Amino acid sequence: MEEGSWRRLALLLAAYCSCFLLIHLPVYGEVTFIDIGQGDSILIRTPFNRRTVLIDTGGKVTFNQPRWAQMTSRSDLAQRVTVNYLKSCGIHRLDTIYLSHHDADHIGYLPTLLTEMRVDRVVVPAGMEKQAAFVRRLQASRFRGRVLPVTDQVRCDPDLRIVHPFIPGQAQNEDSLVLSGTFGGQRFLFTGDLDRPNELAILARYPQLRADILKLGHHGSKTASDPRFLRQLQVKWGIVSAGRFNRYHHPSDEVVAQLRAAGIRMLSTQQYGMIKYRYSGHHGQWQTTLKGDEIRWTLPNSLNN
């Protein structure tokens, strides 16, 4: 082979190796709120893919529908969105999937993630590990990893702290697993569907807890986001994960007005699609897949004001 050909081959190999390293060992980390429709699914990835964690999987809530509607609504957003995104980031393994509680819009796509990705363990609020519906989801995916039931007395991740639940429960909204962590110099709090009384219970138990970025409880419903909770946490950004045209009218107009009055900026997956906080060291920036005005006609009136 001529010298020029060797040089071209070496350049191609160097370019390939560079691309491989950029994808599989990125120097930045991210906290990404996946646009999973009416549900929650959040990816936390630390620099160089040292740790990859998913909080909730999203899932389709089904109601009584005519047969024709059932035949046309079998798409799996976790497959089309979450799995494809993870693999595009060079992620084929998740250290942990945290499940905040048992509602289908938070755990419905669990079998898809367990089937498509290697998952070391699943962490649930204590009490949920015994529930028949949850056990069936695990069996459907033939999961062989560890299931870890937790309360706030358990520390199972160097990057995330469990601040709720305090005792075993029934994995309902009021039992939601709540996680706190700092990434890129910003303090995050992920609240599942936790209700207002238990938000205040967290403040009483952890009076020094602060959050720059709050994943608003229950998709922005007025059952969550107590003004005292927002004030004491000193929230700067509120993230809403909710579906367009959702039948629950999330986020609540009351909560949106409350955030505006408190000077808290809000980002919603309805308006911006996938919402990513990409960081390196103690600094980061927001990135979204939409500008926010491409699908304005699909948004609640409160988001258009």
Side-chain angles (χ1 to χ4, degrees), residues 4-24:
S5 298
W6 279 110
R7 185 177 294 113
R8 286 193 294 273
L9 180 59
L11 288 173
L12 285 172
L13 287 173
Y16 173 81
C17 291
S18 296
C19 290
F20 180 89
L21 290 173
L22 285 173
I23 293 173
H24 293 270

Side-chain angles (χ1 to χ4, degrees), residues 192-214:
D193 280 0
L194 194 70
D195 58 359
R196 290 191 177 200
N198 283 289
E199 289 176 342
L200 300 182
I202 287 177
L203 294 184
R205 193 172 180 100
Y206 298 103
Q208 302 305 314
L209 184 66
R210 299 292 181 269
D212 302 297
I213 300 164
L214 173 67

Side-chain angles (χ1 to χ4, degrees), residues 23 34-35 70 77 112 153 198 222 229 239 269 278:
I23 293 173
I34 299 169
D35 185 9
Q70 296 175 16
L77 276 177
T112 298
Q153 299 304 303
N198 283 289
K222 63 183 179 181
F229 187 62
I239 310 297
T269 57
R278 179 170 166 169

